[in-house]
Amino acid sequence: MFDDQPRVAPSSEDVSLALRHCWQPVARLQDLEQGPQRAVLLGEALAVFLIESGEPAVVADRCAHRGASLSMGQVVGESIQCPYHGWEWAGEDGACTRIPSLPDQRQIPPRARVPSFPARKHWGLVWTVLEQPLGEPPDLPWFDGDTWTWGHGTPYELPVGLGVMIENFRDVAHFAFVHEATLGPLPELVEPLDIEQDGIEVTLRREMQLGDKAAKFWSSVGEARYHVIAPNFISFQMFTDAGERCLLHAARAISATQSAHYWIEGGLAEGFDDRALTEAIDYEWRIYREDLPIISAIEPPELSLDPSSDTSTLADRFTLAYRSAFAEFVTRALSFRIRG
Ligand code: FES
Ligand SMILES: [Fe+2]
């Protein structure tokens, strides 16, 4: 039935290695305005900050002098200053730029440096990657930040790998069971799903059926489109009578079994103003909170990429296609790693 699934599933080690080549979100720009932030990516603690010119920077969150946490420090010009003895490290390449206790800055040890990583601003987030990136951060041709009214919800962390949550987002069979309180009663039956997989991307189009509570909030919805870009991004686009609405969701692997999640709510409709956006974010957050206890208790806490490891049916075709796209990402990243 699922002949398009890979025969040999990547191991957990393969997945973690592959994710080192994936752009992942590490902070919201709005939080960086308060100062540097700490983010853990695949076990590596990072300090994320904006230098004075506004450009993002990501360096290891460990001072090369005596190991203090740089994210507890402050930005000075184009560098981050360690909170312990005030050494300064350049955002661009991690080179030591100043040691306050030295009378002559020419005495800075030439090799004094902290590891630094590429940093990109995209959709109000800073993205980074630990090793040579495979591709670019995710993008969507239809989502233009200048024309949409959009904003971030509160990021959250989960004690499961990022794939478990990305899969939940695209799992259409759970709505009737998990989201009745927010969406209203929904049919349990899942229609034959119209999915398309192209490499690491999977799309699903379906006529949206709304429970009475959701209908009150979203008015009448026609088509809904899901678009996943494996391994760590998914979007949901809804076409309502009033205009378009969307939810973008990007995840970071804290480790193989822990993840951080960022989400953007948006509207492209007359009357979809900042107040409507706040209401939409509040409503979405209520929906997410229904998922979180269930997702947090899933065993094992890492998404299996072996299609035979769980029992699946036709109603799971979309989530199985995501697993297949995730496995394809791992295969590409590992061969890129060997070639690179
Ligand atoms: S530990 Fe950072 S300056 Fe000493
Ligand atoms: Fe859900």
Side-chain angles (χ1 to χ4, degrees):
M1 190 187 301
F2 303 115
D3 286 346
D4 51 345
Q5 304 304 318
R7 294 285 183 270
V8 181
S11 66
S12 174
E13 291 72 27
D14 288 344
V15 171
S16 290
L17 272 181
L19 286 173
R20 296 180 68 81
H21 299 272
C22 172
W23 287 98
Q24 302 187 48
V26 281
R28 298 189 302 180
L29 290 174
Q30 65 202 80
D31 297 323
L32 294 174
E33 282 161 13
Q34 321 303 317
Q37 299 268 313
R38 175 184 168 92
V40 178
L41 175 56
L42 292 161
E44 300 206 20
L46 306 173
V48 186
F49 54 101
L50 300 176
I51 57 175
E52 213 164 71
S53 63
E55 287 307 306
V58 178
V59 300
D61 193 26
R62 181 183 174 277
C63 181
H65 177 222
R66 288 295 179 269
S69 165
L70 293 176
S71 60
M72 293 168 71
Q74 59 177 344
V75 173
V76 176
E78 307 299 284
S79 299
I80 188 166
Q81 183 179 50
C82 178
Y84 200 4
H85 312 97
W87 292 28
E88 294 172 22
W89 306 93
E92 194 186 353
D93 61 3
C96 184
T97 51
R98 184 165 170 262
I99 298 180
S101 51
L102 288 180
D104 181 349
Q105 294 304 305
R106 285 173 303 186
Q107 294 169 323
I108 293 176
R111 282 198 301 275
R113 185 177 290 269
V114 293
S116 68
F117 303 91
R120 294 260 192 98
K121 278 184 189 174
H122 185 46
W123 293 336
L125 294 166
V126 174
W127 299 71
T128 196
V129 55
L130 293 179
E131 295 188 45
Q132 190 67 20
L134 180 65
E136 298 292 317
D139 210 0
L140 296 167
W142 52 265
F143 183 75
D144 170 5
D146 292 335
T147 45
W148 284 70
T149 301
W150 60 281
H152 277 269
T154 306
Y156 57 88
E157 294 184 2
L158 288 173
V160 291
L162 58 80
V164 177
M165 186 63 206
I166 296 281
E167 176 170 283
N168 159 266
F169 190 111
R170 48 216 313 289
D171 174 310
V172 295
H174 81 284
F175 297 145
F177 298 93
V178 179
H179 297 305
E180 189 174 347
T182 47
L183 301 178
L186 282 162
E188 297 176 0
L189 203 66
V190 173
E191 78 282 10
L193 295 173
D194 178 17
I195 59 167
E196 265 178 53
Q197 184 181 349
D198 180 11
I200 62 168
E201 302 194 28
V202 188
T203 53
L204 165 69
R205 287 166 183 242
R206 70 188 307 229
E207 284 307 310
M208 200 64 187
Q209 288 180 304
L210 291 183
D212 53 358
K213 292 181 181 159
K216 217 158 100 195
F217 195 78
W218 283 320
S219 71
S220 101
V221 175
E223 191 179 84
R225 293 180 195 165
Y226 292 82
H227 180 181
V228 68
I229 304 174
N232 64 333
F233 176 77
I234 177 149
S235 70
F236 174 57
Q237 191 181 11
M238 271 192 307
F239 297 87
T240 77
D241 276 357
E244 282 178 57
R245 300 282 297 273
C246 75
L247 172 62
L248 317 184
H249 183 120
R252 160 166 49 94
I254 297 171
S255 69
T257 55
Q258 294 167 285
S259 51
H261 299 269
Y262 300 86
W263 50 286
I264 293 168
E265 191 80 28
L268 186 62
E270 208 169 315
F272 193 86
D273 55 12
D274 285 345
R275 191 171 143 214
L277 175 64
T278 304
E279 282 174 10
I281 289 172
D282 288 348
Y283 186 53
E284 202 68 61
W285 186 222
R286 281 173 53 210
I287 299 174
Y288 269 126
R289 278 198 313 239
E290 292 171 331
D291 287 310
L292 302 187
I294 292 184
I295 300 305
S296 299
I298 281 185
E299 287 285 343
E302 188 174 4
L303 187 72
S304 171
L305 300 182
D306 176 355
S308 63
S309 69
D310 295 323
T311 307
S312 301
T313 73
L314 275 173
D316 300 305
R317 288 206 62 173
F318 192 29
T319 53
L320 283 171
Y322 167 57
R323 293 182 180 199
S324 163
F326 196 147
E328 172 66 21
F329 170 82
V330 174
T331 303
R332 287 185 192 182
L334 294 185
S335 67
F336 174 73
R337 190 179 168 84
I338 291 164
R339 284 201 314 272

